[in-house]
Amino acid sequence: MSLKKQALKEGIATIADVSQPEQVQSAIDKIAQQFGTIDIVFANAGINGVWAPIEELTPEEWDKTINTNLKGTFLTVKYAVPYLK
């Protein structure tokens, strides 16, 4: 069987708010339990956030963007690394 066909043979979907550590860890653990390991991580969650002049942007809007785009990437990689080794 070709590598491509083998790779497409099985998969699972998980849902998590990437800004929430417990949800990310749970999703990563679920994937690793299903397959025994994780070979690759694609940390691609992100939002555009609110587009406004800085003086109109609220701290809460800024935090939501940072927590999704930066913290989400960090958390995804952090919890996947033990399974990638």
Side-chain angles (χ1 to χ4, degrees):
M1 176 182 305
S2 75
L3 185 58
K4 182 178 178 181
K5 285 183 181 179
Q6 185 178 2
L8 296 174
K9 189 174 179 181
E10 186 178 353
I12 62 170
T14 60
I15 298 172
D17 177 340
V18 295
S19 70
Q20 301 301 310
E22 300 82 15
Q23 290 185 31
V24 176
Q25 185 173 20
S26 177
I28 296 290
D29 289 345
K30 180 180 177 182
I31 294 164
Q33 288 170 4
Q34 174 75 27
F35 297 104
T37 188
I38 295 176
D39 295 321
I40 189 168
V41 173
F42 186 63
N44 192 44
I47 60 173
N48 283 330
V50 175
W51 287 83
I54 195 163
E55 66 272 14
E56 295 175 18
L57 188 64
T58 69
E60 294 79 19
E61 292 166 338
W62 175 255
D63 288 344
K64 183 175 181 181
T65 303
I66 293 300
N67 283 336
T68 300
N69 296 353
L70 296 179
K71 186 178 180 183
T73 300
F74 163 75
L75 292 172
T76 302
V77 174
K78 172 186 174 45
Y79 292 119
V81 161
Y83 299 108
L84 293 165
K85 292 182 177 183

